């Protein structure tokens, strides 16, 4: 709700001539070397088998960036005084 209230994004209905791809949560646990649970991880993935060849193969977008690349990008933006 806070994302909608802050205007970060808006929820819109899907086009009538398009279908949305289904998705599912993948949940797993990370363990310490000595066997205790270190943390819980989760990832939301799109079920690619619901896509139609030639219609919506290029419609899936998953923004992923390594922290190292983000730090480099921010350092360059600071050096060159980008706004």
């Amino acid at each position: 709700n806070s994302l909608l209230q802050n205007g970060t994004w808006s929820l819109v209905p899907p086009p009538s001539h398009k279908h949305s791809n289904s998705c599912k949560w993948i949940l797993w646990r990370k363990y310490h070397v000595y066997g205790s649970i270190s943390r819980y991880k989760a990832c939301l993935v799109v079920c690619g088998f619901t896509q139609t060849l030639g219609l919506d193969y290029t419609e899936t977008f998953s923004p992923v960036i390594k922290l190292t690349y983000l730090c480099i990008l921010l350092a360059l933006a600071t050096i060159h005084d980008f706004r």
Side-chain angles (χ1 to χ4, degrees), residues 23-80:
C23 59
K24 65 180 179 177
W25 284 99
I26 305 295
L27 307 170
W28 69 95
R29 288 169 268 199
K30 300 286 275 189
Y31 293 93
H32 290 291
V33 176
Y34 42 88
S36 65
I37 296 174
S38 138
R39 71 187 111 182
Y40 295 95
K41 308 262 313 197
C43 184
L44 183 66
V45 295
V46 172
C47 299
F49 56 83
T50 62
Q51 293 174 299
T52 307
L53 181 61
L55 180 63
D56 57 2
Y57 271 8
T58 60
E59 299 295 322
T60 303
F61 176 71
S62 177
V64 177
I65 187 170
K66 287 187 175 183
L67 183 59
T68 307
Y69 297 139
L70 181 61
C71 290
I72 291 170
L73 181 66
L74 292 174
L76 288 171
T78 303
I79 290 170
H80 295 289

Side-chain angles (χ1 to χ4, degrees), residues 5-35:
Q5 291 172 355
N6 292 332
T8 305
W9 57 277
S10 59
L11 188 60
V12 296
S16 60
H17 63 283
K18 296 267 185 171
H19 74 281
S20 59
N21 293 327
S22 60
C23 59
K24 65 180 179 177
W25 284 99
I26 305 295
L27 307 170
W28 69 95
R29 288 169 268 199
K30 300 286 275 189
Y31 293 93
H32 290 291
V33 176
Y34 42 88

